Amino acid sequence: MKRNPALKALSIDHHHGLVLAHKAKKAAAQELSGNELQAVWAQLQEHADAVLAAHFEIEESYIAPALSACGDPHLDQLVDRLYKEHASLRSLLSPDSNRSTANLQTLGELLERHIRFEERELFEAAQTALDEDTLQAIATACDVRHNG
């Protein structure tokens, strides 16, 4: 299915996220240590602060409540997964998390899996189930985030 224009900005975020997920998995496979490992973590943290925080906020403030309001058990499962995976990603990116090679691998795998889930399932459901006003509100929130 073609992506609704209201969700395109979030899909562009996903592209950048997939690049970083691949970089994290590659760095973990190379078993980087010391400064190199911390540099990859720093890049992921920068992306989390600059993009993921607002991205998650839009999904949790607009998409999740609107899907939950539909009263469809399948949509509720998608929303539950969204929240659980966001919580796991936030935990891995927390300043208190262990910035190890193993956690870098876990983060890369989870980020990739989460993005694929959103693109293939969550966004497909959203553009089918949500009305035009809700989709426009999502697009507006994305515009405000990008144009500040």
Side-chain angles (χ1 to χ4, degrees):
M1 182 181 279
K2 187 176 177 182
R3 184 64 62 233
N4 185 295
L7 300 172
K8 283 195 177 191
L10 295 172
S11 287
I12 290 169
D13 290 348
H14 285 161
H15 170 73
H16 298 296
L18 286 172
V19 170
L20 284 174
H22 175 71
K23 185 173 188 165
K25 293 189 310 181
K26 184 177 177 183
Q30 292 173 341
E31 297 184 13
L32 298 179
S33 61
N35 291 340
E36 292 175 314
L37 178 64
Q38 294 314 309
V40 174
W41 273 108
Q43 188 175 20
L44 288 163
Q45 188 66 57
E46 182 179 322
H47 180 74
D49 295 343
V51 178
L52 282 184
H55 181 99
F56 286 2
E57 178 66 27
I58 290 168
E59 291 172 343
E60 293 174 0
S61 296
Y62 294 91
I63 297 174
L67 288 176
S68 292
C70 292
D72 181 327
H74 174 68
L75 297 178
D76 290 341
Q77 290 175 345
L78 297 178
V79 169
D80 287 344
R81 181 174 173 185
L82 172 82
Y83 283 123
K84 286 177 186 171
E85 291 182 3
H86 280 185
S88 295
L89 288 164
R90 283 182 178 115
S91 177
L92 284 165
L93 288 162
S94 163
D96 299 330
S97 74
N98 180 356
R99 302 291 167 112
S100 66
T101 300
N103 275 353
L104 187 61
Q105 179 70 31
T106 300
L107 177 62
E109 290 171 356
L110 177 58
L111 185 58
E112 179 179 11
R113 195 168 50 248
H114 178 70
I115 290 168
R116 301 273 186 229
F117 154 70
E118 286 190 353
E119 286 293 326
R120 294 176 181 159
E121 297 180 55
L122 188 78
F123 286 9
E124 292 295 321
Q127 64 189 31
T128 300
L130 302 182
D131 62 35
E132 202 53 45
D133 288 343
T134 303
L135 290 168
Q136 187 54 51
I138 295 165
T140 300
C142 291
D143 287 345
V144 167
R145 179 192 66 173
H146 284 294
N147 299 322

